[in-house]
Amino acid sequence: MKIVIVGGGWAGCAASAQAAKNGASVTLLERTDSLLGTGLVGGIIRNNGRFTATEEMAAMGGDDMFRAMDTCLRHKCISFPGHQHADLYDIIKTPVAVEQRLLQLGVSIHRQSRVASADLSGDNTTILSVRDDNGNCYEADGFIDATGTAGPMNNCRQYGNGCAMCVLRCPSFGGRISLCGLTGLTELKAEAHDGSYGAMSGSCKLFKESLSPEIIKALDENGVAVIPLPRELRENHLSIKACQQYALDEFAENIILLDTGHAKMMTPYYPLEKLHQIPGFECARYEDPYAGGKGNSMRYLAMCRRSNSLKVDQRANLFCAGEKAGLLVGHTEAIVTGVLAGHNMVQFLSGRPLLEFPRELAVGEAIAWVREQMETPEGLREKYTFSGSCLFRRMNDLGLYSIDKGYIHKKVEDLGLAGIFA
Ligand SMILES: Cc1cc2nc3c(=O)[nH]c(=O)nc-3n(C[C@H](O)[C@H](O)[C@H](O)COP(=O)(O)OP(=O)(O)OC[C@H]3O[C@@H](n4cnc5c(N)ncnc54)[C@H](O)[C@@H]3O)c2cc1C
């Protein structure tokens, strides 16, 4: 069976790996010249409840992407304000490790292949093929939309501070195009508490070598550097952040840096003139986005309606994963949904029952609860991640958060899901 996966971020890569493991012939189409999408500038994994979700996936045998990341870790088990036992992957090396794993599994990767149209059956329910910007046509039995929600430039202009020239490089490769949207589906927008739409990405990258030797040393040795900000230099962007797990006072009162290869600065943007006034940052320079002094990418403006098995409503052979599947923020969240979508696409094409994660697992509660929440206006104003904010609170309330690997594996085994993705 032939499956086309559109979008090579963490969700598309995880879906590709899983569908290939389940025996499908997989073609992965990516708009830019690199895999990992927004994962090219992320790096934080296993913080707070993401540890539990990662271990649940490992127990089910769906941890190929986590294992690829683990070969490229810069720091293990670090803490920073509000976050425990985080690992940081190297954003420079990880895309290569992921590509190698996908090639081992036989995934056919097409870069600079931006899907720009879709051919549907006469009754508009089934996708027959998609076509990229270069005119190449890809026929398949099933499709997965993993195009994310970041950008394109007009969204950053309309809802944010304009294009900040981020790693997505829309001017060069063309902006994101949603496969669900191309099939005529109306998509959902995240709302902000002030009534505006979308959310701004919550971190920037500084060239490490543009910082003082003391800061570089702290980053190399500890993975983290917390630099208190005098009151007059504080900027409060907490409420606009996509990643609400970092909307804590400490992130406005301090510059918090994490070592992901570059220095990941945990704020959506920060004016360069002000940054240069902070000791140690006199020569600081943005690596991503280039205009990190002014803004960042806007996200969550194109999510689709889907079931808990990640089948897209109203389309017969279309599944979705990652941010496309809802207000789930993060690499771990993208990978969890990617694995499930890849697995279920093959189940569907084989005429076998679709898998839903049980809600006794953190991954099951996340997928089901976010879907329910997105049906309410209040729910559309929240962001959901295993690592903080309302979903992590819920995991704690429901007793779903654990860092006991033995307990997590036993629970998965008792639910009859051990090795289901292996
Ligand atoms: C600056 C920043 C820092 C972050 N830091 C972290 C972090 O440290 N830890 C963490 O867990 N999360 C982090 N996140 C969030 C996390 O990266 C995302 O939530 C997650 O990786 C989304 O994955 P995705 O695959 O759904 O979407 P994306 O990463 O957006 O990937 C979608 C892919 O689809 C491609 N695409 C779009 N349209 C088309 C088309 N028509 N045809 C072909 N390809 C197309 C895009 O080019 C892109 O590669 C960060 C996000 C940003 C923006």
Side-chain angles (χ1 to χ4, degrees), residues 7 11 30-31 37-38 42 44 50 115 177 201 203 264 322-323 330-331:
E30 165 54 37
R31 179 183 66 90
T38 57
I44 310 173
R50 285 178 179 154
V115 167
I177 298 179
S201 297
S203 68
K264 180 177 170 85
E323 292 185 2
H331 312 327

Side-chain angles (χ1 to χ4, degrees), residues 6-11 29-32 36-39 41-44 50 113-115 146-148 176-177 201 203 205 264 297 299-300 322-323 329-331 334:
V6 185
W10 275 121
L29 305 179
E30 165 54 37
R31 179 183 66 90
T32 69
L36 293 198
T38 57
V41 287
I44 310 173
R50 285 178 179 154
S113 187
R114 183 175 76 143
V115 167
T147 54
R176 172 184 58 79
I177 298 179
S201 297
S203 68
K205 253 57 55 195
K264 180 177 170 85
S297 53
R299 315 218 309 275
Y300 298 99
E323 292 185 2
V329 185
H331 312 327

Side-chain angles (χ1 to χ4, degrees), residues 176-197:
R176 172 184 58 79
I177 298 179
S178 156
L179 176 57
C180 289
L182 287 175
T183 72
L185 292 174
T186 307
E187 295 178 298
L188 295 166
K189 285 191 181 76
E191 290 174 20
H193 288 281
D194 64 1
S196 61
Y197 291 108

Side-chain angles (χ1 to χ4, degrees), residues 226-292:
V226 179
I227 297 106
L229 277 173
R231 197 166 287 276
E232 66 279 10
L233 290 180
R234 289 180 194 167
E235 294 258 319
N236 192 337
H237 302 306
L238 299 182
S239 63
I240 59 171
K241 281 181 153 204
C243 39
Q244 282 294 301
Q245 68 271 31
Y246 308 120
L248 309 171
D249 288 342
E250 288 97 322
F251 289 81
E253 292 162 3
N254 302 284
I255 294 269
I256 298 182
L257 300 177
L258 299 174
D259 176 27
T260 58
H262 296 293
K264 180 177 170 85
M265 183 165 71
M266 303 299 286
T267 181
Y269 63 97
Y270 190 91
L272 194 59
E273 316 84 275
K274 273 175 119 173
L275 194 58
H276 284 174
Q277 292 173 39
I278 303 167
F281 292 80
E282 292 85 353
C283 302
R285 186 161 170 167
Y286 282 101
E287 191 272 338
D288 175 82
Y290 267 136

